[in-house]
Amino acid sequence: MSADKLSKVEKLYEGKAKVLYQSTDPSLLITFFKDDATAFNGQKKGSIGEKGVCNNSISSNIFMMLEAHGIKTHFVSKLSEREMVVKKVTIIPIEVVVRNKVAGSLAKRMGAPTGKELPEPLVELYYKDDSLGDPMINRGHAKAFNLATDQELEHIETEALKINKLLVEFFKGIGLDLVDYKLEFGRSPEGVLLADEISPDGCRLWDINSGEILDKDRFRKDLGKLTETYQEVNRRVSSMVK
Ligand code: C5P
């Protein structure tokens, strides 16, 4: 079945920013991007007008760029303004954070100044469990608690560094400094695929010239211009791809 003829059959899961539906093709799901925004493990809630439209467009374009460079992702096609067709995967319950500069929880944990360049990209693993507040783990924890196999962990970390090179270059081309971001991977019959989304909801993006924050930290820190920020990132990403 062609992906653009698909329709939603059943709601499978509603997350903080997206709703996942089974589609008429058993191997494909439809992701619906909402405007809802949350921060601090759901303690702060709000809505950002047009966020869903922007994040769907930004993520679709970035997944296409990564696929064109040999990264295997769950992305199939953009179905509508707020909907994306993706391959059905079983999400590996590990959030992979890649950092190029110090910010956020790393600044706090290490007592280091925000903005400090790291000598090389840093890959961190967190156990994806909201009830525990997504604690940081290492490979040993991941193996001991059967979150992923050795082979999967090796693949995920190698892939994360490949993705980082591509993303840093891509964002640099549109005047954005990619400070850090979160990736998720999923198991599928084709192997482990990059899943979830890549958008200002899960990335720190700073304007290279002005240093202006162009990501969800504007919501976390009440900096205003929320819709405008997501639209600006979408405008820049679209200009690069089309
Ligand atoms: O909070 P922290 O500094 O560890 O976040 C690092 C990066 O990972 C940020 O870009 C943040 O947006 C992203 N992140 C995320 N979802 C989480 C935790 C972190 O998107 N649950």
Side-chain angles (χ1 to χ4, degrees), residues 12 22 26-29 74 86-90 187-189 193:
L12 297 178
Q22 177 59 57
S27 67
L28 299 177
L29 305 182
H74 71 158
V86 298
K87 293 172 186 165
K88 196 178 213 166
V89 300
T90 307
R187 300 182 183 105
S188 82
L193 307 178

Short mmCIF file of all heavy atoms in Angstrom, two decimals, residues 12 22 26-29 74 86-90 187-189 193:
data_model
loop_
_atom_site.label_atom_id
_atom_site.label_comp_id
_atom_site.label_asym_id
_atom_site.label_seq_id
_atom_site.Cartn_x
_atom_site.Cartn_y
_atom_site.Cartn_z
N LEU A 12 -2.75 4.01 19.58
CA LEU A 12 -1.95 3.05 20.34
C LEU A 12 -1.41 3.66 21.62
O LEU A 12 -1.29 3.00 22.63
CB LEU A 12 -0.76 2.56 19.48
CG LEU A 12 -1.08 1.78 18.20
CD1 LEU A 12 0.20 1.43 17.48
CD2 LEU A 12 -1.88 0.52 18.52
N GLN A 22 -2.04 3.13 14.99
CA GLN A 22 -1.85 2.03 14.04
C GLN A 22 -2.46 2.51 12.72
O GLN A 22 -3.50 3.14 12.71
CB GLN A 22 -2.57 0.77 14.56
CG GLN A 22 -2.49 -0.41 13.61
CD GLN A 22 -1.06 -0.83 13.31
OE1 GLN A 22 -0.30 -1.13 14.21
NE2 GLN A 22 -0.67 -0.82 12.04
N PRO A 26 -0.24 -2.94 8.55
CA PRO A 26 0.19 -3.44 9.87
C PRO A 26 1.62 -3.07 10.26
O PRO A 26 1.93 -2.99 11.45
CB PRO A 26 0.07 -4.97 9.73
CG PRO A 26 -0.70 -5.24 8.50
CD PRO A 26 -0.69 -4.01 7.64
N SER A 27 2.48 -2.82 9.27
CA SER A 27 3.88 -2.53 9.60
C SER A 27 4.15 -1.03 9.75
O SER A 27 5.28 -0.64 10.05
CB SER A 27 4.80 -3.11 8.53
OG SER A 27 4.59 -2.42 7.32
N LEU A 28 3.12 -0.21 9.52
CA LEU A 28 3.34 1.24 9.56
C LEU A 28 2.43 1.93 10.59
O LEU A 28 1.27 1.55 10.76
CB LEU A 28 3.08 1.87 8.18
CG LEU A 28 3.96 1.37 7.03
CD1 LEU A 28 3.53 2.02 5.72
CD2 LEU A 28 5.44 1.64 7.29
N LEU A 29 2.99 2.94 11.25
CA LEU A 29 2.22 3.73 12.22
C LEU A 29 2.11 5.16 11.71
O LEU A 29 2.88 5.59 10.85
CB LEU A 29 2.94 3.74 13.58
CG LEU A 29 3.28 2.39 14.22
CD1 LEU A 29 3.95 2.63 15.57
CD2 LEU A 29 2.02 1.55 14.40
N HIS A 74 13.20 5.41 11.11
CA HIS A 74 11.83 4.87 11.03
C HIS A 74 10.97 5.69 10.07
O HIS A 74 9.83 5.33 9.79
CB HIS A 74 11.18 4.80 12.42
CG HIS A 74 10.82 6.12 13.02
ND1 HIS A 74 9.87 6.26 14.01
CD2 HIS A 74 11.27 7.39 12.77
CE1 HIS A 74 9.75 7.53 14.35
NE2 HIS A 74 10.58 8.23 13.61
N VAL A 86 5.53 6.32 9.89
CA VAL A 86 6.79 5.73 10.35
C VAL A 86 6.67 4.21 10.39
O VAL A 86 5.57 3.67 10.49
CB VAL A 86 7.19 6.26 11.76
CG1 VAL A 86 7.43 7.75 11.75
CG2 VAL A 86 6.17 5.89 12.83
N LYS A 87 7.83 3.55 10.33
CA LYS A 87 7.84 2.09 10.46
C LYS A 87 7.58 1.73 11.92
O LYS A 87 8.04 2.44 12.82
CB LYS A 87 9.20 1.54 10.03
CG LYS A 87 9.45 1.73 8.55
CD LYS A 87 10.87 1.38 8.16
CE LYS A 87 11.09 1.73 6.69
NZ LYS A 87 12.51 1.74 6.32
N LYS A 88 6.87 0.62 12.11
CA LYS A 88 6.58 0.16 13.47
C LYS A 88 7.88 -0.36 14.09
O LYS A 88 8.53 -1.22 13.49
CB LYS A 88 5.55 -0.96 13.40
CG LYS A 88 4.87 -1.29 14.68
CD LYS A 88 3.83 -2.38 14.44
CE LYS A 88 2.64 -2.21 15.35
NZ LYS A 88 1.51 -3.02 14.92
N VAL A 89 8.25 0.16 15.23
CA VAL A 89 9.45 -0.33 15.92
C VAL A 89 9.10 -0.56 17.39
O VAL A 89 8.10 -0.05 17.88
CB VAL A 89 10.64 0.67 15.85
CG1 VAL A 89 11.05 0.96 14.42
CG2 VAL A 89 10.33 1.97 16.60
N THR A 90 9.95 -1.31 18.06
CA THR A 90 9.85 -1.41 19.52
C THR A 90 10.95 -0.51 20.07
O THR A 90 12.14 -0.76 19.84
CB THR A 90 10.11 -2.87 19.98
OG1 THR A 90 9.21 -3.70 19.25
CG2 THR A 90 9.89 -3.03 21.47
N ARG A 187 13.78 -1.20 17.67
CA ARG A 187 14.04 -2.48 16.97
C ARG A 187 12.95 -2.70 15.93
O ARG A 187 11.76 -2.46 16.20
CB ARG A 187 13.99 -3.65 17.96
CG ARG A 187 15.01 -3.54 19.06
CD ARG A 187 14.98 -4.74 20.00
NE ARG A 187 15.94 -4.53 21.07
CZ ARG A 187 15.62 -4.20 22.31
NH1 ARG A 187 14.36 -4.07 22.66
NH2 ARG A 187 16.56 -4.01 23.22
N SER A 188 13.37 -3.19 14.75
CA SER A 188 12.42 -3.50 13.69
C SER A 188 12.93 -4.73 12.95
O SER A 188 14.08 -5.13 13.16
CB SER A 188 12.33 -2.33 12.71
OG SER A 188 13.39 -2.39 11.78
N PRO A 189 12.12 -5.32 12.07
CA PRO A 189 12.61 -6.47 11.29
C PRO A 189 13.85 -6.12 10.46
O PRO A 189 14.65 -6.99 10.13
CB PRO A 189 11.42 -6.82 10.39
CG PRO A 189 10.22 -6.26 11.10
CD PRO A 189 10.70 -5.04 11.80
N LEU A 193 16.67 1.03 14.16
CA LEU A 193 16.44 2.26 13.39
C LEU A 193 16.40 3.47 14.31
O LEU A 193 15.92 3.36 15.44
CB LEU A 193 15.09 2.19 12.66
CG LEU A 193 14.78 0.97 11.78
CD1 LEU A 193 13.37 1.09 11.20
CD2 LEU A 193 15.81 0.86 10.66
#
